[in-house]
Amino acid sequence: MSEQSAQPEYRIEDLAHHSGATVRTIRAYQDRGLLPRPERRGRSNVYGDAHLARLRQIADLLDRGYTLASIKELLEAWDTGRGLGGVLGLVAEVHGPWTDEEADRISRAELDARFGGTPDEAAILEAVELGVLEPLPDRETEEYLVPSPQELAVAAELYAAGVPLAAITGHLRELRDQVEHIASRFLEFTTEHVFARYLEHRPPTDADAHEAATMVRRLRPLAQQTVDAELARAMRLLATRHLEFHLSPHAPPAKDDESRSVALPAGTVRAVQSLVGPEGVAAFVAAAAEREVHKRTLDALTSSHHIGGEFTQST
């Protein structure tokens, strides 16, 4: 038997079975240039281990959030000899855990007990939607994976203190928008000042990707450390002011010219930035709010005049 004939060979149906992809998906990858064409043997198309390995690489990159267009660029770089080991290492580094916290499991009975003992299907569904809980399939008892036990513990403590579940999940949604904005700014900052030199090529060279992965490992703890320190500072400052306000016999009047912070969804901020740039976000939001207030004032005056006129005519 020749060396060539000893290599595993697959029909497209066999390749689909071994890779987990569908026949239709395999053909679509071929059409897009993600997968090499099969060899022709008589009237049959024959695939080999290289095709199987490529399909598994594509599936892994898709799981990590890469688009097919990005995957094609990576694979083309590899095929032209630029190397993909460093890039895949960088992908693995970024996709890896950003916390030392380990996931845990909890049964439905334990979950109900921690939140008052009364089953609440709506709250469970919302927790699953938020990713606080992940259902575990094929279990005799209803169990959930808890990606962040600390987050669930905080929710349980708030509930025990009297905070309704709906308020807890609503607060989490608001908090996520703000934290995602902070994360986005941190990424923009580090990309501009640190990672830009490693990402000049698209995709980066193998050596640059290796160095970037090392830098990710060094900088990964900094985001959380910075946020922890600033949150502690802000909580100490604002909690003191809050307490003074509520202990004062007379609440101080609000100043008309006093600046106040307003939380905006990260998506809204990005949309405004695309229109006016980062430096114009505050002015744009202020102008839009003032225009809306003026519009509603005019609408109210017009409506009041119209109603008053009708009243006069009817009397």
Side-chain angles (χ1 to χ4, degrees):
M1 181 178 296
S2 66
E3 182 179 352
Q4 181 177 2
S5 62
Q7 297 297 322
E9 295 181 348
Y10 310 95
R11 296 175 304 166
I12 192 169
E13 294 82 5
D14 300 326
L15 186 64
H17 172 74
H18 286 286
S19 66
T22 65
V23 170
R24 182 178 180 181
T25 297
I26 292 173
R27 287 176 174 152
Y29 288 168
Q30 289 177 182
D31 293 340
R32 299 189 63 159
L34 289 163
L35 191 68
R37 292 285 178 180
E39 293 185 17
R40 191 73 177 175
R41 301 282 177 80
R43 297 181 178 180
S44 301
N45 290 325
V46 176
Y47 299 83
D49 274 346
H51 295 90
L52 182 58
R54 175 60 59 89
L55 286 172
R56 288 172 176 167
Q57 287 172 341
I58 294 172
D60 180 63
L61 291 169
L62 286 173
D63 287 342
R64 297 177 187 274
Y66 281 74
T67 65
L68 288 177
S70 298
I71 293 172
K72 184 178 181 181
E73 289 184 1
L74 292 173
L75 296 177
E76 285 177 348
W78 192 17
D79 289 340
T80 55
R82 289 175 59 185
L84 192 61
V87 174
L88 292 179
L90 177 59
V91 170
E93 196 66 48
V94 172
H95 192 264
W98 285 73
T99 175
D100 294 333
E101 187 178 15
E102 295 184 1
D104 199 359
R105 294 182 181 183
I106 189 169
S107 69
R108 177 58 188 271
E110 293 172 324
L111 194 60
D112 290 341
R114 294 182 68 176
F115 290 90
T118 302
D120 190 333
E121 297 300 330
I124 293 292
L125 290 175
E126 191 160 19
V128 171
E129 180 185 348
L130 287 167
V132 177
L133 300 173
E134 296 178 7
L136 292 173
D138 303 326
R139 298 278 173 178
E140 294 182 1
T141 59
E142 189 175 355
E143 286 188 320
Y144 297 89
L145 179 71
V146 185
S148 174
Q150 292 179 4
E151 191 170 52
L152 186 64
V154 169
E157 286 293 333
L158 290 173
Y159 182 80
V163 183
L165 283 174
I168 294 173
T169 54
H171 180 69
L172 177 57
R173 290 182 186 276
E174 179 183 350
L175 182 64
R176 281 196 177 173
D177 282 339
Q178 297 172 14
V179 171
E180 286 177 5
H181 174 65
I182 293 172
S184 176
R185 289 294 298 119
F186 189 81
L187 286 172
E188 291 171 2
F189 172 79
T190 53
T191 297
E192 177 183 358
H193 296 286
V194 179
F195 291 104
R197 59 181 177 270
Y198 301 119
L199 305 176
E200 293 176 346
H201 307 286
R202 296 179 59 87
T205 64
D206 204 45
D208 283 345
H210 274 297
E211 291 188 33
T214 301
M215 192 61 68
V216 170
R217 285 193 293 274
R218 287 179 55 190
L219 298 183
R220 177 182 290 165
L222 300 187
Q224 183 171 349
Q225 290 170 8
T226 302
V227 171
D228 286 347
E230 283 301 307
L231 180 61
R233 181 199 63 81
M235 287 297 297
R236 182 175 61 253
L237 175 65
L238 297 180
T240 300
R241 292 180 182 174
H242 197 68
L243 182 62
E244 290 175 352
F245 175 84
H246 285 282
L247 292 180
S248 173
H250 303 289
K255 299 179 181 178
D256 292 339
D257 60 347
E258 182 181 357
S259 297
R260 301 180 184 179
S261 298
V262 178
L264 295 175
T268 301
V269 174
R270 287 194 294 269
V272 175
Q273 285 181 341
S274 68
L275 292 174
V276 299
E279 68 283 352
V281 171
F284 183 90
V285 172
E290 290 176 3
R291 184 173 65 179
E292 181 66 19
V293 170
H294 291 161
K295 178 180 179 298
R296 293 192 181 192
T297 302
L298 292 173
D299 289 344
L301 290 172
T302 303
S303 176
S304 175
H305 175 74
H306 181 68
I307 293 173
E310 288 184 347
F311 177 77
T312 302
Q313 291 175 6
S314 64
T315 55

